[in-house]
Amino acid sequence: MIDAEKEESVAKILLWAVSLISVSSLFAIFTYIFLRGSKVINLEFLMTAPNPIFWAGGIFPQIVGSLYLVALCTAVATPLGISAAIFLSEYARNNFITKTTRFFILTLAGIPTIVIGLFGLTFLVYRLDFRVSLFSAGIALSFLTLPWTITVSEESMRAVPMEYREAALALGATKWQTTWHVVFKAAAPGIITGILLGIGKALGETTIPLMCGGSGLETFLPRSLFEPVGGLPVYTFIFATQGNVSSAVDRAFGGSLVLTLMFLVLSASALVVRNRYQKKLRK
Amino acid sequence: MSWSSSQKTLLVILLLVVLALGAYSSWTISSLTFTINTMQGTLDDLGSMLGNYTQRLEGYLTVAGSTTVLPISQACANLFMQENPGAVISITGGGSGHGISAISAGYINIGMSSKNLTIEQITDPDPDLQPVNIALDSVAIIVHSSNDWIDDLTFEEVEMIFNGTITDWNHFGGTGEIHVYTREAGSGTLECFEKFFMENSDITGAASEKTSNGEMRAAVSEDTAGIAFLSVGYIDETIKAISIEGVEPTIDNLKTGDYTVKRWLFLITKGAPTTLEQAFIDFVLDEEGQEIVVQEGYLKLEWFQ
Amino acid sequence: MKREGHRSVLEKAIEIMLFLGAASSIVIVFLIVIFMMLEAYPALNPDFLLGWTWDPKKEMFGIFQTGVSTIYVGAGAIILATVIGVPTAVFLSDFCRYNVRNIIKPSIELLVGIPTIVLGFFGLMVVVPFIRNSFGGWGFSVLAGWIVLAIMSLPHIISISEDALRAVPSSYREAALALGATKWQTVKKVLLPHAKTGITASILLAFGRVMGETMAITMVIGNPRVSWIPASIFDRAKVLTSTILLDWSYVEIPSLHYHSLFGIGVILFLIVALVDVIAVYIIKEGMWKRITEVASWWKRR
């Protein structure tokens, strides 16, 4: 009996200690980046172009560039992904072909991003001659987000109980009406969560924009889809690894902070959507 | 929803059609972009005829390659864009190897290189690379700014440090392991370094690999035990440059030839340059551009002609 | 009747559009995989897979040492993350007050998928100098890689493991407590076994992500010119993804070097795919039971 209670106290202490380590290390990182990055954040930093020669300037083209990249990526991956998800979940029969398809999509989700970057470089940039541009990087990023969108959307739709569909069909709705008005609307929060998480993933990507999108130190915004574009992660990478003066390091922290904040906003939105969805289901 | 066998066949046919459409459209898109690029070239030429009257240049240039040439290109591009508001120039690093490989593949406009092109690369009609000398440069050995164990090295000593024969600073009266840094295999700076300093041996496999002059400088400025090589244009107060056999890597010593390490810097186009490309290259070769070359710490062409 | 006919044409049209959307997605997936395999094919031979040395200057493209390093770094990081993460999940699910958990759990979930460049930068600025000042040497080391990758995986492992633990029906807990078990005994003997499939799956998936990580690891691991199997955790190393990152910019297209880079891509893809498949099959409890059956049969031999 005593042994069990001793074990319990020891276990409690160990668990507390380990949890303290993990939770505090995670927050320490964010706090550190916040403290070192906020030094350099001001309106000028956010609204001017970088000056790579003197390791000075701001990150405006990079912020907008990141948004452009993410927008293009989402615009391509979302319709394709959702149609694939709807088709797989509602229209296709659950047979060997669909199972293999789901398997392949899942494995594509596991390809390391640098390999997708390499694919984008040799296929989109070089073979299809889209050159180093917003277009190439955006499409390559959508390859990253696509399997994720399909998987999450499909799971959300399959989670909708069959009774919903049966009820709608019994009331005389057609297949598409059922799918759109009943299943899709019910699965929407899950799908939106998936999209937001995909956006977060694309936002933090470094290797794909580095290989297909541009130098990261662009001082101009791309005027068309086929011009190079710079994003925050690549900017941070270059300033962090090549900057040998404090102004460079400070700016790298500034870029990291802005990037992290953008990411946290997306992440938080996804969580909020998911929690409301779960609350709805529980009702 | 179940499918009859005829619907299944329809499905398969549709899938094949999609695949075929995909293949066809990607072929079409690539030939379309090729056509657009060629048309762009023609329009550029037309524009240049008109432009001679207006002196306004417009368009987008992607320049990439040697991090040695990078500061020159960046500074020149800044001035060029100020003088020609319609022109936008995007400059990336990546190393001479990247510059040559990317311009050969044709997905940038101008490649920067500190690496000499081989005879085959110049004469081969397929990529049809056309290099233009724009400046001269040298390679210096650098250590941490607080490193006072060495001020001067012989060529042999440099080779022995970099090939791993001398591994410890106590050989020079210091303490600790020597941390050797090197560049990626395609680097022009590496090629120059090996040509002049590594006569008989290879750089040790234990050297940490960096991919730009900037990274070499940053690495050594933070590592008290570090030693590396880089382009003289990158020497600044954050690191200490070593003299070789009594000769410091200064501009004067380079002009007179006392510091023997020397190499050309190039801008490379694929085929004949377009109007905008030629304008940029001309800018770099002109007075303004060559002044920038000197400001950035390199050697301008006329000192050697 | 006419209206119905109109609708069914619309229905068919929508169905076809959806099918095309699905087909395009699938075509893309196949395209990438097949392209990768084709470009890697010329390099896939024993020289590549079992070759000891990766040295582009000497036209040598053997990935064996690099591959071993990658697994060494990845496995160590995941073990570290598991040892820290699973107890944290246990703490959050069963040993923590409700309001504390409601603050901590969402905060950790916010950090899942944090841009890895930020973690790599943090590693470069904090972890590497720390190791250099405390233990000497380069600072860039396997240990730095373990720490950075473990931090990267922690939110994922904690979050999913905690979900798995909480998914255990509360009746199990109540039954155990009614029998007089302490909280820890309940966790050890009832909850963890029940949640082990979810926890194992999360660990495997995190391992897959860690194997494919490029930026964070390249910034802190050291990258010696000719890759080796690290001699200690303070030794530098080079992993497969870093090899692609360091070499991609100057490879000639095409060349053996170029094909070898895609070869690395294929190997990475296969490893991650294998790990994902194992994770998915473990989730189906049948497989897990079979694994334990095999394990006990093996013990009995």
Side-chain angles (χ1 to χ4, degrees):
Chain A
M1 276 298 125
I2 303 176
D3 269 342
E5 283 188 24
K6 253 201 201 149
E7 208 185 330
E8 169 96 354
S9 331
V10 167
K12 250 195 189 154
I13 294 175
L14 281 178
L15 286 175
W16 261 98
V18 168
S19 307
L20 204 66
I21 295 177
S22 58
V23 173
S24 53
S25 65
L26 289 174
F27 291 115
I29 294 177
F30 177 67
T31 320
Y32 182 72
I33 303 226
F34 184 79
L35 287 175
R36 286 205 66 171
S38 47
K39 257 195 294 183
V40 88
I41 305 268
N42 52 40
L43 208 62
E44 195 191 327
F45 183 65
L46 295 173
M47 299 293 286
T48 54
N51 187 342
I53 306 178
F54 296 106
W55 300 111
I59 54 171
F60 181 68
Q62 279 64 35
I63 296 179
V64 178
S66 278
L67 292 172
Y68 278 177
L69 281 168
V70 157
L72 180 59
C73 159
T74 315
V76 172
T78 310
L80 280 180
I82 292 185
S83 5
I86 295 178
F87 189 80
L88 281 174
S89 143
E90 306 295 311
Y91 285 81
R93 205 164 54 162
N94 204 358
N95 58 17
F96 179 69
I97 299 183
T98 46
K99 283 198 181 131
T100 333
T101 309
R102 285 199 195 97
F103 174 73
F104 262 96
I105 292 174
L106 206 66
T107 38
L108 178 64
I111 293 191
T113 59
I114 192 165
V115 179
I116 297 191
L118 200 58
F119 169 77
L121 179 73
T122 44
F123 191 67
L124 295 172
V125 173
Y126 172 38
R127 285 281 172 92
L128 294 185
D129 205 25
F130 290 131
R131 303 172 72 95
V132 175
S133 62
L134 171 59
F135 189 74
S136 303
I139 302 290
L141 280 173
S142 69
F143 295 157
L144 192 65
T145 329
L146 187 66
W148 182 250
T149 311
I150 297 179
T151 316
V152 171
S153 305
E154 204 208 344
E155 267 175 34
S156 308
M157 295 184 75
R158 286 174 105 196
V160 175
M162 266 318 260
E163 294 89 53
Y164 284 43
R165 295 180 184 80
E166 286 163 5
L169 287 170
L171 288 169
T174 63
K175 176 95 185 178
W176 172 246
Q177 282 174 328
T178 318
T179 309
W180 179 249
H181 291 287
V182 178
V183 180
F184 196 71
K185 293 248 159 84
I191 297 179
I192 294 178
T193 311
I195 295 177
L196 287 172
L197 289 177
I199 295 181
K201 236 181 171 192
L203 187 67
E205 245 319 291
T206 318
T207 49
I208 295 180
L210 177 70
M211 293 166 90
C212 311
S215 73
L217 300 177
E218 310 297 343
T219 50
F220 282 85
L221 296 176
R223 296 167 308 179
S224 82
L225 274 180
F226 293 97
E227 289 182 356
V229 66
L232 282 172
V234 183
Y235 172 90
T236 309
F237 177 59
I238 295 184
F239 268 64
T241 52
Q242 298 188 29
N244 58 336
V245 289
S246 59
S247 65
V249 174
D250 286 338
R251 276 168 178 71
F253 274 109
S256 300
L257 179 59
V258 174
L259 178 64
T260 311
L261 287 175
M262 286 169 81
F263 171 78
L264 286 177
V265 165
L266 276 171
S267 207
S269 325
L271 270 184
V272 164
V273 170
R274 202 190 69 180
N275 282 343
R276 277 164 118 204
Y277 176 49
Q278 282 178 342
K279 276 198 193 129
K280 250 194 199 165
L281 275 186
R282 257 178 241 143
K283 280 195 198 146
Chain B
M1 169 143 197
S2 67
W3 299 71
S4 70
S5 59
S6 56
Q7 278 177 320
K8 275 189 204 165
T9 347
L10 189 66
L11 215 79
V12 173
I13 293 177
L14 260 168
L15 193 64
L16 287 171
V17 167
V18 167
L19 273 167
L21 273 173
Y24 178 69
S25 51
S26 55
W27 181 83
T28 319
I29 290 173
S30 65
S31 46
L32 199 67
T33 45
F34 175 72
T35 319
I36 291 176
N37 284 339
T38 332
M39 273 170 50
Q40 197 81 38
T42 323
L43 286 172
D44 261 346
D45 287 334
L46 278 172
S48 76
M49 291 201 305
L50 299 168
N52 282 332
Y53 297 106
T54 56
Q55 293 285 19
R56 288 176 66 87
L57 294 150
E58 303 194 321
Y60 211 111
L61 281 185
T62 43
V63 182
S66 165
T67 55
T68 305
V69 185
L70 184 67
I72 301 176
S73 302
Q74 275 175 332
C76 284
N78 274 3
L79 266 182
F80 188 84
M81 289 194 280
Q82 276 170 30
E83 290 176 16
N84 301 283
V88 181
I89 308 181
S90 157
I91 319 249
T92 320
S96 304
H98 177 64
I100 296 175
S101 139
I103 191 67
S104 305
Y107 59 81
I108 56 173
N109 292 101
I110 299 179
M112 306 184 280
S113 176
S114 63
K115 196 174 179 180
N116 291 318
L117 293 177
T118 63
I119 309 284
E120 297 90 44
Q121 282 169 323
I122 299 182
T123 53
D124 197 343
D126 181 6
D128 191 20
L129 299 178
Q130 299 193 0
V132 176
N133 293 0
I134 55 150
L136 284 107
D137 177 41
S138 179
V139 169
I141 311 294
I142 55 165
V143 292
H144 192 264
S145 47
S146 73
N147 183 328
D148 36 355
W149 304 317
I150 52 170
D151 290 302
D152 182 277
L153 288 172
T154 65
F155 282 98
E156 291 79 30
E157 282 174 322
V158 172
E159 180 164 4
M160 287 203 288
I161 292 176
F162 276 85
N163 70 14
T165 316
I166 303 178
T167 52
D168 217 286
W169 285 113
N170 54 28
H171 184 99
F172 299 100
T175 50
E177 206 192 346
I178 300 183
H179 291 166
V180 177
Y181 293 89
T182 184
R183 288 289 303 279
E184 84 280 7
S187 160
T189 313
L190 173 71
E191 187 193 63
C192 180
F193 172 76
E194 288 183 320
K195 187 164 106 176
F196 284 90
F197 291 92
M198 306 295 290
E199 265 194 58
N200 306 311
S201 50
D202 294 321
I203 297 185
T204 169
S208 270
E209 194 172 304
K210 298 290 171 188
T211 54
S212 65
N213 279 306
E215 279 179 64
M216 290 287 252
R217 182 174 61 186
V220 169
S221 70
E222 286 155 22
D223 187 355
T224 49
I227 187 168
F229 54 85
L230 47 54
S231 151
V232 295
Y234 275 77
I235 297 178
D236 64 9
E237 326 75 47
T238 62
I239 40 94
K240 173 171 149 184
I242 301 291
S243 56
I244 304 293
E245 295 185 356
V247 184
E248 285 183 32
T250 59
I251 296 292
D252 294 315
N253 286 342
L254 286 166
K255 270 183 175 171
T256 57
D258 285 339
Y259 193 81
T260 52
V261 182
K262 203 158 54 215
R263 64 201 184 131
W264 294 98
L265 301 181
F266 307 92
L267 290 178
I268 310 174
T269 52
K270 186 173 183 180
T274 64
T275 321
L276 188 56
E277 292 166 10
Q278 188 62 55
F280 182 67
I281 296 177
D282 287 338
F283 184 88
V284 178
L285 292 170
D286 272 343
E287 260 197 65
E288 271 185 290
Q290 292 290 300
E291 262 318 295
I292 290 180
V293 165
V294 173
Q295 269 172 36
E296 294 295 329
Y298 301 91
L299 305 157
K300 60 183 186 181
L301 290 175
E302 69 178 25
W303 290 340
F304 294 89
Q305 275 160 3
Chain C
M1 275 293 131
K2 227 186 181 173
R3 225 195 207 171
E4 255 189 42
H6 188 259
R7 263 222 189 104
S8 79
V9 166
L10 185 65
E11 289 276 316
K12 262 298 174 185
I14 290 179
E15 195 180 320
I16 291 181
M17 268 196 346
L18 288 178
F19 175 74
L20 283 180
S24 321
S25 312
I26 295 163
V27 163
I28 290 175
V29 171
F30 273 98
L31 181 71
I32 297 179
V33 174
I34 293 177
F35 184 85
M36 234 176 41
M37 305 264 181
L38 283 178
E39 295 298 302
Y41 179 69
L44 293 176
N45 51 45
D47 279 333
F48 171 74
L49 295 168
L50 299 173
W52 198 245
T53 318
W54 178 279
D55 190 348
K57 299 202 79 193
K58 298 207 174 91
E59 286 290 310
M60 298 172 72
F61 303 110
I63 61 164
F64 190 71
Q65 286 197 89
T66 322
V68 172
S69 302
T70 312
I71 296 182
Y72 181 50
V73 170
I78 289 300
I79 293 175
L80 184 60
T82 308
V83 162
I84 296 185
V86 174
T88 310
V90 168
F91 173 77
L92 283 176
S93 76
D94 279 83
F95 283 85
C96 185
R97 241 170 289 156
Y98 183 70
N99 21 14
V100 174
R101 203 188 88 245
N102 270 6
I103 300 178
I104 297 186
K105 176 103 199 285
S107 318
I108 292 184
E109 282 192 14
L110 277 184
L111 296 172
V112 175
I114 194 168
T116 54
I117 179 72
V118 173
L119 291 175
F121 185 37
F122 175 78
L124 182 66
M125 291 280 117
V126 173
V127 178
V128 167
F130 173 72
I131 295 180
R132 192 188 305 158
N133 296 334
S134 319
F135 304 101
W138 288 78
F140 298 95
S141 52
V142 169
L143 180 62
W146 281 356
I147 293 176
V148 168
L149 291 176
I151 293 177
M152 187 181 103
S153 319
L154 265 182
H156 189 86
I157 290 183
I158 293 177
S159 174
I160 296 188
S161 302
E162 205 261 357
D163 283 341
L165 283 166
R166 301 242 302 144
V168 176
S170 44
S171 48
Y172 283 50
R173 287 185 180 81
E174 289 160 13
L177 286 172
L179 289 170
T182 63
K183 252 193 185 167
W184 172 243
Q185 281 176 327
T186 320
V187 166
K188 195 168 80 169
K189 297 220 156 35
V190 179
L191 300 179
L192 277 178
H194 198 93
K196 69 168 178 280
T197 56
I199 295 179
T200 317
S202 81
I203 294 174
L204 284 174
L205 292 173
F207 181 68
R209 280 178 60 209
V210 154
M211 292 292 279
E213 176 47 40
T214 318
M215 296 314 297
I217 190 78
T218 311
M219 288 168 88
V220 301
I221 196 103
N223 307 310
R225 187 178 80 81
V226 178
S227 173
W228 57 53
I229 297 178
S232 79
I233 62 171
F234 297 109
D235 203 1
R236 294 165 296 147
K238 190 153 83 163
V239 296
L240 290 171
T241 44
S242 309
T243 311
I244 301 181
L245 184 66
L246 291 167
D247 286 8
W248 76 268
S249 61
Y250 65 90
V251 284
E252 283 169 39
I253 303 172
S255 65
L256 185 60
H257 195 176
Y258 166 77
H259 293 300
S260 305
L261 288 185
F262 269 101
I264 293 182
V266 167
I267 299 290
L268 284 170
F269 166 62
L270 289 176
I271 294 179
V272 174
L274 184 70
V275 165
D276 280 347
V277 164
I278 297 178
V280 165
Y281 274 110
I282 284 186
I283 292 179
K284 296 187 180 156
E285 213 141 338
M287 201 62 187
W288 185 250
K289 283 212 189 99
R290 217 179 297 166
I291 289 177
T292 42
E293 273 171 31
V294 170
S296 48
W297 166 83
W298 183 260
K299 273 192 227 156
R300 262 184 266 126
R301 279 168 81 252

